[in-house]
Amino acid sequence: MKINKDIFKKAFKNVCTAKTMAELYEENFKVVSKYVHATSRGHEVIQTALGMQLLPQDYAYPYYRDDSMLLSFGCTPKDLMLQLLAKKDDPFSGGRTYYSHPSLRDDDKPKVPHQSSATGMQAIPATGAAMGFWYQEHVNSKFKIQNSKLPLVVCSLGDASVTEGEIAEAFQMAALKQLPILYLVQDNGWDISANASETRAQDAFEYAKGFHGLEAISIDGTDFIESYTQIQKVIETIRKERRPFLVHAKVPLLNHHTSGVRMEWYRDDLEEARSRDPYPKIRKQLMENGFSEKELKDIETSAYAEVRKDYEVALKAEDPKPEDLFTHDFAPTPITEETGTRTPECAEKVVMVDCALFGIEELMKKHKECLLYGQDVGGRLGGVFREAATLAQKFGDNRVFNTPIQEAFIVGSTAGMSAVGLKPIVEVQFADYIWPGLNQLFTEVSRSCYLSNGKWPVSMILRVPIGAYGSGGPYHSSSVESVVTNIRGLKIAYPSNGADLKGLLKAAYYDPNPVVIFEHKGLYWSKVPGTKGATSVEPAEDYVLPFGNAWLLQEIWKQEDVETATIVSYGMGVHWAMNATQGMRDRVEIIDLRTLFPLDEETIMKSVKKTGKCLVVTEEPSNNSFARALAGKIQEECFQYLDAPVMTIGSENMPAIPLNSTLEQTMIPSTEKVRVKLETLLEY
């Protein structure tokens, strides 16, 4: 396949620019290494060969060494240098993240959603974006095709990252669903100081053979003609046949791992690596294809001048101001007020699980971009709690589908799904199973809006059945809200009844930010004694309950010479509180938080200042918990109004909830335990 002269010229200019930038950074090491960076030196040709062939409708997930790829997308040296120096006008993140960590949403370039340092974690969001295209094509929704070419996703990986377990989850789903994605693995034979022989049983090309349906090729990534033509064939096939490929490109690493880890400290293969330098090879190929020495010198001189000029401009650019820290933690939500009908006339009471089910059904009827996936939510079962019952039958197996046992993929794929315009509702089967997904929830989902400077908020809902119920034992009973509330950038709901759950679910859907909804299993059907209050008249379809509005469930008048208190709780704790205050409801206010973030501090503090005493009730072990932190906040804000220390009650501080029912009940709070603690507080 012959390459025309314009393509050669463009490619050589790109390679020259990237090489010159790497050399300039070395010359000015003390200046530019204030913030750590890595360059593409040695990888320039394969990155350029791929990047030149992507279109504006395509999505790319580069990794931290892919500055040549970014240049080939149309980014300028100045763009990259503003990020290198963490300047205010860094177009990717506003000075918030490292060099070559792009977030790009320009109309004329491939789209680059936010990702973390991209040491393998980006494979799941990238595959999620490809799954989004797969879904859109299968349901024939408003799918935009530019230049009559279907879009694809590119995920760029270093060879060392392919050993990550999350890579296997991504490859598995790409092969299973036959997704339109190209995984480019740039193999330079090194991790940081560990080489391939120490850390990998096989290279990425051999590894990919284990995923049937993922076709792989191996190429010389230093040869521009081979790289360009092979990538061209792969891209054309993906656009037409909609199936995944892996391209394994062998390249040398000709610069430091990063500016902070110098190659001369540990490398013993530098001479061999330099013998495979792609720069003289592409230069020779241009000479063999009609370019004169003068033409090449002119291109090199032009690249040198542009890089130097942009560097001087970037050096003088403005740094962020302190107030710039406090922007884009969340995208603005349109849901700010409670609206719609909460208790329609003649409506029947329904259990909590059905309120959620009916709410999702209403959303899916109204919005084609809404889809639901997770373990066992598909048509055969409809969820282990029947929380997705009948949805697959009503909306089809492409909108409601089972996933493998892959919590990382379930959580992280939502970032890619959201990036291509979908609204995924996903589920981890039990709160105990959330741990493999925390990496994605923390690094990819929660930080996307902030680190992309507002360009890529992740619009998703993660449902998490939680809490102890019916001797679930140590792997089906945990409470995990303290861990999740420590992940900034998430909105978190924990309702105590069906009406709140449905209203919050609707608010979460229309919120452009990531939302976690904890749903207590013991409240789903109100089978636990004392939880009938979780059943609700089902709100109307238009009912929406905004986040951050606590419910003063039980209010009292301020009374002289009578000891009063406030109980603050959420989820199951609300029912323990309501039952525990029977006979003393004129002395105790009860606040149902509804959402753990944002937190309605105004309602809490107003009540505590009135009553003078406070008890925070949680199902979690209370040491180092959300509840204990909240108690500390209340103590700080209300100290001069308090007549007693703010107290907490939660589960016993043991490592797990035992299977035996006697031990389970000993472990967790109860109505009686809350009542005893409340009486102690009132008598203080």
Side-chain angles (χ1 to χ4, degrees):
M1 191 179 295
K2 191 169 176 60
I3 298 175
N4 69 44
K5 198 167 182 179
D6 287 342
I7 291 173
F8 267 129
K9 183 176 181 180
K10 185 177 179 182
F12 186 61
K13 172 68 182 297
N14 205 74
V15 169
C16 285
T17 301
K19 176 175 177 288
T20 303
M21 289 167 67
E23 292 168 348
L24 180 141
Y25 297 163
E26 283 300 293
E27 290 171 23
N28 297 274
F29 177 75
K30 290 186 178 180
V31 176
V32 303
S33 292
K34 178 180 180 181
Y35 306 111
V36 173
H37 66 271
T39 72
S40 59
R41 190 69 186 94
H43 294 229
E44 303 99 326
V45 158
I46 183 60
Q47 291 180 20
T48 299
L50 174 57
M52 286 175 62
Q53 300 189 60
L54 296 187
L55 301 173
Q57 65 265 33
D58 296 327
Y59 278 62
Y61 289 76
Y63 88 115
Y64 61 83
R65 198 175 298 286
D66 281 349
D67 56 3
S68 289
M69 190 181 296
L70 295 174
L71 291 170
S72 71
F73 290 167
C75 296
T76 66
K78 177 186 170 185
D79 292 334
L80 297 177
M81 290 171 181
L82 287 170
Q83 188 173 53
L84 174 80
L85 300 169
K87 296 295 187 177
K88 179 183 177 70
D89 291 332
D90 154 27
F92 305 123
S93 74
R96 291 175 174 175
T97 194
Y98 295 103
Y99 178 73
S100 201
H101 285 56
S103 296
L104 195 61
R105 207 164 190 169
D106 296 352
D107 290 341
D108 63 341
K109 299 180 184 69
K111 307 302 174 282
V112 184
H114 159 267
Q115 56 201 349
S116 62
S117 280
T119 51
M121 290 84 75
Q122 76 275 26
I124 284 178
T127 307
M131 192 164 73
F133 288 147
W134 167 87
Y135 166 72
Q136 289 172 316
E137 292 165 37
H138 277 77
V139 301
N140 195 30
S141 64
K142 295 179 292 185
F143 195 67
K144 294 181 180 178
I145 302 173
Q146 301 176 27
N147 304 323
S148 301
K149 290 183 181 284
L150 286 170
L152 57 84
V153 177
V154 166
C155 177
S156 177
L157 299 158
D159 54 309
S161 72
V162 179
T163 59
E164 287 268 7
E166 291 184 1
I167 297 288
E169 294 193 17
F171 287 2
Q172 182 73 242
M173 285 299 287
L176 178 67
K177 298 282 187 185
Q178 289 295 282
L179 304 179
I181 186 167
L182 164 56
Y183 300 102
L184 171 67
V185 179
Q186 300 174 57
D187 186 351
N188 61 39
W190 287 93
D191 292 16
I192 297 180
S193 66
N195 62 33
S197 63
E198 295 174 78
T199 58
R200 301 192 270 296
Q202 67 279 305
D203 64 28
F205 172 67
E206 295 164 332
Y207 182 57
K209 292 177 183 177
F211 297 90
H212 299 289
L214 173 60
E215 186 172 339
I217 62 171
S218 188
I219 64 173
D220 180 356
T222 68
D223 185 314
F224 179 73
I225 294 175
E226 181 180 349
S227 295
Y228 190 90
T229 55
Q230 289 297 320
I231 292 287
Q232 187 176 53
K233 290 176 186 176
V234 167
I235 286 177
E236 287 176 355
T237 303
I238 295 174
R239 292 202 196 279
K240 291 175 184 175
E241 299 181 13
R242 318 307 283 158
R243 60 189 178 93
F245 275 78
L246 183 144
V247 175
H248 171 247
K250 292 284 286 182
V251 292
L253 178 59
L254 300 181
N255 206 340
H256 311 291
H257 169 73
T258 64
S259 55
V261 183
R262 315 293 286 175
M263 57 187 173
E264 58 268 17
W265 295 348
Y266 59 88
R267 294 275 297 275
D268 56 7
D269 68 335
L270 291 176
E271 285 306 313
E272 188 278 333
R274 289 171 185 139
S275 73
R276 296 187 289 126
D277 188 341
Y279 188 76
K281 291 178 73 170
I282 189 173
R283 206 177 190 284
K284 182 172 183 288
Q285 286 178 340
L286 265 71
M287 293 286 287
E288 293 170 349
N289 282 273
F291 286 81
S292 67
E293 179 65 25
K294 182 181 183 305
E295 286 177 298
L296 299 185
K297 283 286 188 186
D298 287 346
I299 294 170
E300 290 169 331
T301 301
S302 170
Y304 180 88
E306 181 186 7
V307 167
R308 294 280 168 170
K309 179 183 175 184
D310 281 5
Y311 176 63
E312 293 303 321
V313 172
L315 280 176
K316 297 172 184 175
E318 184 182 1
D319 283 320
K321 294 181 169 58
E323 58 266 27
D324 294 328
L325 175 70
F326 302 101
T327 60
H328 302 301
D329 50 342
F330 291 97
T333 177
I335 307 301
T336 57
E337 295 182 359
E338 186 173 4
T339 58
T341 306
R342 182 180 174 94
T343 54
E345 293 183 14
C346 304
E348 295 182 1
K349 276 196 169 185
V350 297
V351 293
M352 188 171 173
V353 72
D354 284 347
C355 275
L357 174 64
F358 299 153
I360 291 174
E361 182 176 343
E362 290 167 355
L363 288 167
M364 295 189 79
K365 281 180 179 176
K366 193 172 183 178
H367 302 284
K368 281 290 179 76
E369 65 273 19
C370 177
L371 69 165
L372 173 71
Y373 56 95
Q375 293 168 33
D376 298 304
V377 301
R380 288 193 189 89
L381 186 59
V384 295
F385 302 105
R386 305 294 288 155
E387 72 282 4
T390 74
L391 293 179
Q393 289 83 353
K394 291 175 180 176
F395 299 105
D397 293 335
N398 293 322
R399 289 189 72 184
V400 181
F401 57 89
N402 293 326
T403 64
I405 302 173
Q406 294 185 344
E407 284 79 14
F409 185 88
I410 291 167
V411 173
S413 61
T414 64
M417 283 278 198
S418 172
V420 300
L422 301 177
K423 181 76 178 197
I425 302 174
V426 297
E427 177 187 306
V428 295
Q429 206 163 67
F430 294 89
D432 309 71
Y433 300 171
I434 201 172
W435 308 114
L438 283 185
N439 182 30
Q440 290 289 322
L441 193 63
F442 178 75
T443 61
E444 309 299 334
V445 173
S446 70
R447 296 172 158 198
S448 184
C449 186
Y450 188 69
L451 291 181
S452 69
N453 220 20
K455 289 190 290 294
W456 294 102
V458 176
S459 187
M460 59 83 85
I461 300 171
L462 172 60
R463 298 179 67 189
V464 184
I466 192 170
Y469 167 65
S471 296
Y475 311 115
H476 301 81
S477 307
S478 295
S479 293
V480 300
E481 60 266 27
S482 290
V483 173
V484 178
T485 52
N486 268 287
I487 301 176
R488 317 298 188 242
L490 301 175
K491 295 189 178 182
I492 303 166
Y494 200 151
S496 68
N497 63 81
D500 283 356
L501 175 53
K502 186 176 181 184
L504 290 166
L505 188 62
K506 294 293 181 75
Y509 186 83
Y510 295 111
D511 195 311
N513 300 288
V515 175
V516 177
I517 303 181
F518 291 118
E519 304 172 19
H520 199 289
K521 305 188 304 290
L523 302 179
Y524 266 158
W525 303 286
S526 291
K527 291 182 178 179
V528 176
T531 61
K532 287 296 182 187
T535 62
S536 308
V537 172
E538 185 197 351
E541 183 174 353
D542 66 350
Y543 179 65
V544 181
L545 178 61
F547 278 54
N549 282 17
W551 183 13
L552 187 53
L553 182 60
Q554 187 169 288
E555 188 173 6
I556 63 172
W557 297 104
K558 176 64 176 174
Q559 303 169 62
E560 299 297 330
D561 302 321
V562 176
E563 294 299 317
T564 57
T566 298
I567 296 179
V568 179
S569 194
Y570 52 90
M572 181 64 81
V574 173
H575 300 274
W576 290 326
M578 286 295 290
N579 296 327
T581 57
Q582 286 187 20
M584 59 176 88
R585 288 188 175 162
D586 58 338
R587 301 172 60 196
V588 182
E589 290 201 337
I590 297 176
I591 295 174
D592 181 349
L593 291 179
R594 290 171 161 165
T595 63
L596 309 187
F597 192 88
L599 186 65
D600 186 353
E601 293 186 14
E602 182 180 351
T603 296
I604 298 167
M605 305 309 171
K606 182 179 178 182
S607 175
V608 175
K609 287 175 181 179
K610 177 168 69 174
T611 64
K613 295 179 179 180
C614 182
L615 174 63
V616 182
V617 179
T618 179
E619 187 173 316
E620 280 192 300
S622 58
N623 281 3
N624 307 310
S625 65
F626 167 82
R628 191 60 62 87
L630 177 56
K633 177 75 171 176
I634 295 168
Q635 190 111 327
E636 182 180 334
E637 293 283 324
C638 302
F639 183 78
Q640 62 187 0
Y641 299 89
L642 292 173
D643 298 322
V646 178
M647 296 184 181
T648 61
I649 182 171
S651 290
E652 300 297 333
N653 291 292
M654 303 305 291
I657 297 177
L659 181 64
N660 178 272
S661 58
T662 299
L663 296 177
E664 179 189 62
Q665 291 307 309
T666 305
M667 173 82 174
I668 65 176
S670 64
T671 294
E672 185 55 34
K673 291 177 185 177
V674 171
R675 187 178 182 90
V676 169
K677 190 77 171 182
L678 177 62
E679 288 172 344
T680 301
L681 176 63
L682 288 169
E683 292 168 4
Y684 190 90

